[in-house]
Amino acid sequence: MTCPRHRRWLVPAAAGALLLGAVPALPQLDDSFMPKGGKTLLLQVLAEAGNGGELLALLSARRSEGEWRQVLAPRAAALSEREQSTLAAYLAVNMPVSNPGEVAQREGRTAELYAALPRDGRELAWHECQFCHSLFTSHLTQDRSLQAWMNMFESPFHREMKMTPQEREEFSRYSAINMPMKIEDVPPDLRF
C-alpha cells in the first residue's frame, strides 16, 4: 500500500514514464572515430593470420606486454606501433581469461567472440565516462601517463564506478597509449 503523502506523485510519475516511451529513439553515436581497443585488434590479427585453433593458446597464456609483443610480432606487423602497444597491453591485463575453452568455442562467430572477451579500453571509455561528463573533455583530450590515469580512479566520484581493478587498469593503459586525440578527429557532436 502506498503512503498517502506519496500517492499524489503516482499519476504524474506514471504519465511521465509513458511520455518517455513515446519519444522517438535518439540516434546512436558511433565510437569508430576512437582508436581501436585491444579486443578489436586481437580479432583483426586473428582474422588476418587465418590460423584457426590458436585462440585457446592465446586465451590461456599469461605474459607481460613485452612478451605479448614478441609472440604477436609476426602476426601484428600490419598494425601501427600504437596499435601493437594497445593489443599487447590488452592481452597483458586481460589474459588468461577465466574460461578460455568456453570463449574459444566462439571462434569463427565474431560477434559472439567479441561479446565473450573482456571489455577493452575503448569500450570502457565509451560506456562508462559519458554517464557523468563529456567524453571529449574528460578523456579524449587528456594527455596523462599510465600512473596519472590510474590515479584518476582514486578521486571520490571515480571510486564509486562499477569497474573491476582489471577494467580500471585496462582503461588506464588504453588511455595512456591512445590519448589525447586531435580535436579535428572527434566528431563535432561530441566536442565539449
Side-chain angles (χ1 to χ4, degrees), residues 2-176:
T2 308
C3 172
R5 283 188 332 183
H6 296 104
R7 196 173 297 151
R8 66 180 175 201
W9 296 105
L10 280 178
V11 172
L18 288 173
L19 285 174
L20 282 175
V23 174
L26 296 173
Q28 292 293 322
L29 295 173
D30 182 4
D31 71 348
S32 65
F33 70 92
M34 291 175 67
K36 292 176 184 172
K39 183 169 29 173
T40 300
L41 293 167
L42 174 61
L43 296 179
Q44 179 181 328
V45 165
L46 290 173
E48 289 170 1
N51 298 334
E54 67 183 314
L55 181 60
L56 182 57
L58 292 173
L59 297 174
S60 303
R62 179 180 309 278
R63 295 183 172 99
S64 68
E65 284 183 51
E67 291 168 334
W68 277 115
R69 284 190 71 124
Q70 287 178 341
V71 166
L72 294 171
R75 294 181 213 104
L79 299 181
S80 71
E81 180 67 28
R82 183 178 283 184
E83 288 174 328
Q84 289 179 27
S85 295
T86 300
L87 175 55
Y90 174 78
L91 294 170
V93 170
N94 292 292
M95 298 303 134
V97 294
S98 60
N99 52 347
E102 206 176 293
V103 175
Q105 289 177 3
R106 293 169 172 83
E107 190 167 15
R109 299 185 309 249
T110 307
E112 286 182 34
L113 180 56
Y114 189 87
L117 289 168
R119 295 190 297 174
D120 62 31
R122 180 167 89 178
E123 284 180 288
L124 291 164
W126 188 258
H127 295 290
E128 300 298 331
C129 295
Q130 297 181 85
F131 283 112
C132 300
H133 43 68
S134 159
L135 182 67
F136 181 75
T137 56
S138 68
H139 184 252
L140 302 177
T141 59
Q142 299 299 309
D143 186 6
R144 299 179 185 177
S145 67
L146 172 60
Q147 189 58 54
W149 282 109
M150 292 293 290
N151 290 347
M152 176 198 67
F153 289 109
E154 296 304 316
S155 63
F157 43 90
H158 284 130
R159 259 187 255 143
E160 300 302 317
M161 292 178 72
K162 292 183 170 119
M163 288 171 65
T164 67
Q166 182 176 322
E167 288 176 324
R168 290 170 187 239
E169 184 176 356
E170 168 59 24
F171 171 90
S172 298
R173 288 180 185 272
Y174 169 83
S175 301

